[in-house]
Every structure is written in C-alpha cells, then in structure tokens.
Amino acid sequence: MESGTLETLQLIVSGLANGCVYGLIALGFALIYKAAEQVNFAQGDLMMFGAFVALGLANESHMGLPFWVACIGAIAVMAALGWLLERAVLRQVFGQPQIAVVILTIAIGFLLRFVAGIIWGHDPLTLESPIAGVNQHFGTLVLGLDELAVIAVTLALTGLLFGFFSRTRLGIAMQASSQNQLAAYYMGIPVKRIHGLTWALAGAIAAVAGILFASKGSIDPNTGLLGIKAFAAAVIGGFGSLPGALAGGLIVGLIEPFAARYVASGYSQIAPYAMLILVLLIRPRGLFAQVHAKKV
Amino acid sequence: MTGTLLQIRNLECFYGPVMAIRGVSLEVPEGRIVTVLGANGAGKTTLLKTISGVMDPAKGDILVAGASIAGRDPDRIVKKGVVHVPEGREIFPLLTVNENLAMGAYSRRDGGVDADREMIFGYFPILKERLGQTAGTLSGGQQQMLAIARGLMAGPRVMLLDEPSLGLSPLLVNDIFAILRRVNAERGVTMLLVEQNARVALEIADEGYVMELGRIVMEGPAERLQQNTDIQEFYLGAEQRGLRGERRWKRRKSWG
C-alpha cells in the first residue's frame, strides 16, 4: 500500500478509537436525558473517575489486582456511584427546573475532580493495561492494539445495550418511562427506581469509557473536561438519541485527527465545535433526532 | 358481587393553592360500572389521579377491598389491582403495540399474562393485526383500544377510565363502550368511568355521580339519573327554550 493510504487508514483508526470514547460518554448523556430528562454535566468526570478507580485497583503501586478484576470492580463501583448520586442528590431536585439539575451536576463534576485529585494526585498517571502500547502489524499497516480494543469493546457494548433496550423487560420499561413518564406511572412501572438504574447504567458505561480512554494514554483529574467534547457529540447526534450519541462521538473523533493533519494542528480543537454549529444550522435537532415531537 | 370494592371517603385534594376536590365520597360496588359525570374542571380527572396515586390526597381516605391505598406510590396501587386508563390515551408512542401491552403487565409476576393477551385480542382483534406496529402510528380509535387493552393487561380488579370517548367518532364510541360492557360482564372487571359524554356513560353504568367544582352534587342509579330533568338539560342536551338562562342559574343554586 502507498504511504498516503496507510496514513489515512491510521488516522481513521485513531480517530474512531477517540470517537468511541466520546461516543460512550455521549451515550451516558443521552441515556440519562432520555430516561430522566436530566442533563448530566458530570458525565465526563464520571468517566475520569471510573478510569482512576480502575487504575487504583489495577496498578502495582496501588492495589495491584489483575487487570480484568480491576475492570469489573471499577464498573461495579461506578454503577453504585451513579445509583447513589441519583438516589441521594438528584432525587432531591426531582420536579425542579432543568437549571437546578445542570448546576447540581456541574458541582458534582467539580467534586469528583477534587476527590480524584486528593486520592490519586494531580499528575498524569497511566493505567497498567495489557493492551497499552502493543502494536498490531497488518503487513505494512501498524495499528495500536489499544485503539483496536477500544473500537471492539465499544461495538460489543453497543450491541449489548441494543439488546438490553429492545429485548429485556427492564430495558423496554426504561424506554417507556422516557417516552411517557405519566403513563409509566399509571402502568405501575416504578419510575423513580428506573431513574436510579439509569444512572447506575450511565455510571457503568462511564467506567468502561474511562478504562478505554486510560488504556490509550495518561489520565489526570482534568481529563473529565473531555466531557464537553462528548456533549457536543451528543448534540450533533441529536440529544437523547442513543445511536445518535455514538455516531456523534465517531464524527467528532474522526474530525479531530484529520483537521490536525490537513488544516493546522490548532484547528483540531476547534473542529468539533465548528461541526456542532454547522449541524445545528442545518439540522437543529441533531442528525439522529427521533421524529416524534414531544407532547408538552 | 355486592360488596364495595372501591370506597372513597371525604377526599380533599389540592393543585398548589387550588382546592380541586372538596370532600368527595363515593362507592364502587364489586363487578359494577359506576360513572362520574361533570363538566371540564369539575375535578373528575384529579379524582382518578388521586386514586391511582399520581397525586396525593390532602385529606380523606381511599379503600380497595377495605384496605387503604391513599398516598401510596402508583406502582403499589397497581399491584393492589387498580389500574388507570388515562385521558388522551397516553400510550408509549415509540414502542410497538406488543411492547405497550407488555408494559401494561409490568407489575405482574404471575403466569397468566399470555392467556390475558389472547383474551384481549378477543376483544380487540385489530391489535393482534398491528402487534409489531409502532403505537404512535395507530389511529386515534386504535390508540384508545390499545390504552384500554394495556390497562387490562395489568389484570385489574378496578379500572379507572378517564374519558374513553374523547376525540372519537360516535360510531367508535359505541364500539368501545360495547367492549367495556362486555369486559365488565364477562371478566367481572369493576369500572369507575369518568365521562363528559353522559349519554353513553349512563347507558352502560349501573350507578352515577355528578361532580361540579370538586363536589358531588347528585348521585343515584343510572336509570334515575337518565330521567332527571337537570341531567337531561345540562348533560344530555335536552332543549328547554325560553327561560333557559334563568332556569340554569336556579337549578345550579338548588344543587349546592
């Protein structure tokens, strides 16, 4: 293969891998928005925290557990944290204006950053992962195993979530209570418990995103600010649409390396937001917004 | 079949500072259809929402087979056998017909769900044809049928029906009320029916109450209410020319 194509392929793969992480964070945004109509600005920080929990469990300098055990542990811890946040904090502002939730979740984000800083320090750390830094050779094409793993895990998780939402009783009940909360109450669906479970699910997904992100590079307590880019991804995809969130993440992920390579390095930071403005101008509801207009 | 299944005692309910229900008492005997008539804003929907637990009462009590359910969470009340079929259908628009029905049975753990689904297809054959269709794409009448069917999937002892005739053609209203009558007769489901369409409601009901501004102003067997001149004038639309305005005022006063 000629070097131009090779380079493009490598850019695509690394862009997709980044995009998967954005997509997973955006998925957390979309999930909570869909189920509980809450915008969780702490989703990026939950991702960061999940990465640190995994790091704390797995790294030799901390607890030194086997990598897979640490992953499962981090997912469980983050699911519990998500559930607890809903139960103890967000349920207190149930029925209050959206702005209360926004400010509350921004505050939760700050809190998570501080707590992570206190426990794990403010210097960048790397997760000791068996897939980090290993390269996979396909002829002359060299791809990072970590990037391939990120894409594969995201695909698998997406499939799993799709199955969960379309096949299981609980998944359909989550859809039902997001589509018509009052009717869900009438049918005896425990809507508040469903909100709690949705937050738990968002926490678990944040942990997966965090582990994947930390496998590709170093993390520090400010890593969670990445959530802003993921938020842009969620809006590009159509806020509240799960496939849209993933697609939005991939779009943002792909734009970045190409903007850096073909425009100028500084533009890679602006490109996602330029895309966001473009999409909002052309399709104000986002690319994958569900056609059904909500009854007020 | 003669015991009281649903009893409401001195219920009071507020929307913020507004008192929507001002001391309502009523009884629904087991196996019967009881209707609550009244104009917009009389408090009928609030009454049903309070029974199903979506709103909490300020005072008074709600008893199902003698046990209080007042102020409980809606999912506990559904488990007690009280299901609310809301005004304006309120189906889950992006779920399929089949998924909507499954959500109706969410609170159930028993094995009778599949048999009940078949039973429901007997009443609403159209739903069987549309099983995989997204519920939001059904016609208004079909959505109303789905809302009733979804309620039946909960295996209720009492169904609270809020304006099932709303926005339907007279022909469809007759169809749906005929089905409700059959469900009541064949399955023994007790019904509390809130309606503005007094004519159809009194035709299938055994007993009726008339609500105005949060109070019960009249009650009695359905046949007697049908004969009542006030009901005929205000709810059944019988024409009384000439003194109409004055009569109306006098009558209203006399109800207080």
Side-chain angles (χ1 to χ4, degrees):
Chain A
M1 266 188 278
E2 53 180 302
S3 66
T5 339
L6 268 182
E7 195 193 347
T8 309
L9 261 176
Q10 267 157 356
L11 282 179
I12 289 178
V13 170
S14 78
L16 282 180
N18 268 331
C20 284
V21 174
Y22 299 147
L24 287 179
I25 304 172
L27 204 62
F29 278 120
L31 255 181
I32 290 177
Y33 183 72
K34 244 176 104 82
E37 297 214 351
Q38 294 162 336
V39 181
N40 173 25
F41 278 101
Q43 192 65 30
D45 299 292
L46 281 174
M47 184 280 285
M48 172 277 296
F49 208 79
F52 268 114
V53 171
L55 184 147
L57 293 172
N59 278 16
E60 288 297 338
S61 54
H62 292 84
M63 290 180 70
L65 293 174
F67 181 69
W68 300 113
V69 178
C71 287
I72 293 166
I75 292 170
V77 167
M78 292 310 291
L81 181 65
W83 182 81
L84 204 70
L85 279 176
E86 195 277 337
R87 185 90 191 184
V89 184
L90 282 135
R91 204 169 283 189
Q92 307 304 318
V93 295
F94 190 73
Q96 300 291 322
Q98 188 62 256
I99 191 75
V101 176
V102 169
I103 290 172
L104 200 58
T105 54
I106 289 175
I108 291 170
F110 271 105
L111 207 66
L112 287 172
R113 250 171 278 160
F114 274 114
V115 173
I118 290 166
I119 304 178
W120 294 286
H122 292 275
D123 299 323
L125 294 175
T126 34
L127 174 65
E128 288 158 11
S129 144
I131 52 171
V134 186
N135 285 332
Q136 194 76 35
H137 295 261
F138 298 95
T140 48
L141 180 66
V142 182
L143 297 172
L145 184 60
D146 46 4
E147 290 177 337
L148 295 176
V150 168
I151 296 170
V153 169
T154 306
L155 278 178
L157 188 63
T158 308
L160 216 64
L161 283 172
F162 182 78
F164 171 72
F165 278 110
S166 57
R167 296 265 177 274
T168 68
R169 213 166 82 104
L170 185 61
I172 296 173
M174 280 184 177
Q175 285 194 62
S177 47
S178 88
Q179 286 170 25
N180 193 334
Q181 188 163 318
L182 196 58
Y185 272 118
Y186 289 139
M187 291 306 112
I189 297 171
V191 176
K192 286 180 184 162
R193 200 184 312 156
I194 296 251
H195 288 177
L197 291 174
T198 307
W199 272 80
L201 187 60
I205 292 173
V208 174
I211 294 165
L212 294 179
F213 184 78
S215 300
K216 300 196 300 117
S218 61
I219 50 166
D220 66 77
N222 284 327
T223 301
L225 295 175
L226 194 84
I228 298 171
K229 241 181 259 174
F231 185 78
V235 175
I236 288 174
F239 216 80
S241 155
L242 302 185
L246 276 170
L250 293 181
I251 291 170
V252 170
L254 280 174
I255 288 174
E256 280 187 324
F258 280 94
R261 170 69 183 77
Y262 292 108
V263 190
S265 60
Y267 286 99
S268 73
Q269 293 301 312
I270 308 172
Y273 306 106
M275 181 70 189
L276 172 64
I277 292 169
L278 196 71
V279 167
L280 288 182
L281 284 175
I282 299 167
R283 274 185 71 97
R285 285 158 171 271
L287 295 176
F288 290 78
Q290 280 166 323
V291 201
H292 170 73
K294 197 175 180 70
K295 254 204 305 192
V296 182
Chain B
M1 290 290 278
T2 47
T4 300
L5 186 52
L6 177 67
Q7 187 175 28
I8 290 155
R9 285 186 192 153
N10 297 321
L11 201 67
E12 289 184 9
C13 203
F14 289 84
Y15 269 117
V18 181
M19 196 173 189
I21 296 185
R22 303 160 175 261
V24 165
S25 296
L26 60 83
E27 288 189 3
V28 185
E30 181 153 22
R32 299 287 172 81
I33 301 179
V34 172
T35 183
V36 177
L37 308 174
N40 269 337
K44 309 182 304 285
T45 296
T46 311
L47 178 67
L48 292 195
K49 282 185 173 175
T50 311
I51 298 172
S52 61
V54 176
M55 287 177 67
D56 288 335
K59 267 189 198 165
D61 208 354
I62 304 164
L63 306 168
V64 174
S68 174
I69 58 163
R72 297 282 183 81
D73 278 339
D75 51 302
R76 306 259 318 259
I77 292 175
V78 172
K79 284 202 175 94
K80 291 271 178 199
V82 181
V83 75
H84 186 158
V85 178
E87 183 179 0
R89 338 214 217 277
E90 303 282 352
I91 51 154
F92 302 116
L94 300 173
L95 298 185
T96 63
V97 169
N98 198 21
E99 286 167 337
N100 266 274
L101 292 176
M103 287 299 105
Y106 189 85
S107 61
R108 288 174 71 174
R109 290 285 183 274
D110 59 295
V113 174
D114 287 334
D116 275 8
R117 196 191 310 259
E118 284 308 312
M119 175 270 287
I120 283 160
F121 291 150
Y123 292 115
F124 303 104
I126 186 77
L127 295 181
K128 191 169 188 174
E129 291 168 31
R130 301 292 164 96
L131 217 48
Q133 191 174 329
T134 309
T137 63
L138 295 175
S139 73
Q142 289 163 357
Q143 288 189 16
Q144 184 62 60
M145 292 180 191
L146 178 59
I148 295 169
R150 186 182 61 176
L152 282 172
M153 285 297 287
R157 298 177 73 185
V158 190
M159 264 185 130
L160 313 174
L161 293 150
D162 197 351
E163 305 259 2
S165 74
L166 193 74
L168 301 183
S169 72
L171 209 62
L172 259 173
V173 171
N174 285 342
D175 284 352
I176 283 183
F177 275 70
I179 293 169
L180 288 177
R181 197 205 299 259
R182 273 180 61 207
V183 170
N184 168 256
E186 295 166 14
R187 313 290 308 176
V189 179
T190 309
M191 294 177 184
L192 180 59
L193 170 68
V194 153
E195 261 299 341
Q196 287 196 58
N197 188 338
R199 190 189 307 278
V200 284
L202 287 174
E203 262 169 36
I204 73 164
D206 302 295
E207 282 163 58
Y209 291 80
V210 179
M211 230 176 140
E212 213 162 81
L213 297 174
R215 286 196 183 85
I216 301 284
V217 292
M218 195 184 290
E219 60 180 274
E223 309 87 70
R224 215 174 70 211
L225 290 180
Q226 272 173 326
Q227 308 302 319
N228 185 292
T229 49
D230 289 322
I231 301 271
Q232 285 183 350
E233 187 176 347
F234 301 133
Y235 297 106
L236 300 178
E239 287 276 323
Q240 300 228 356
R241 290 210 173 86
L243 292 167
R244 195 156 183 260
E246 195 188 341
R247 282 177 64 98
R248 192 182 178 92
W249 179 78
K250 276 186 185 165
R251 296 286 167 137
R252 269 179 199 268
K253 289 295 271 190
S254 72
W255 280 3

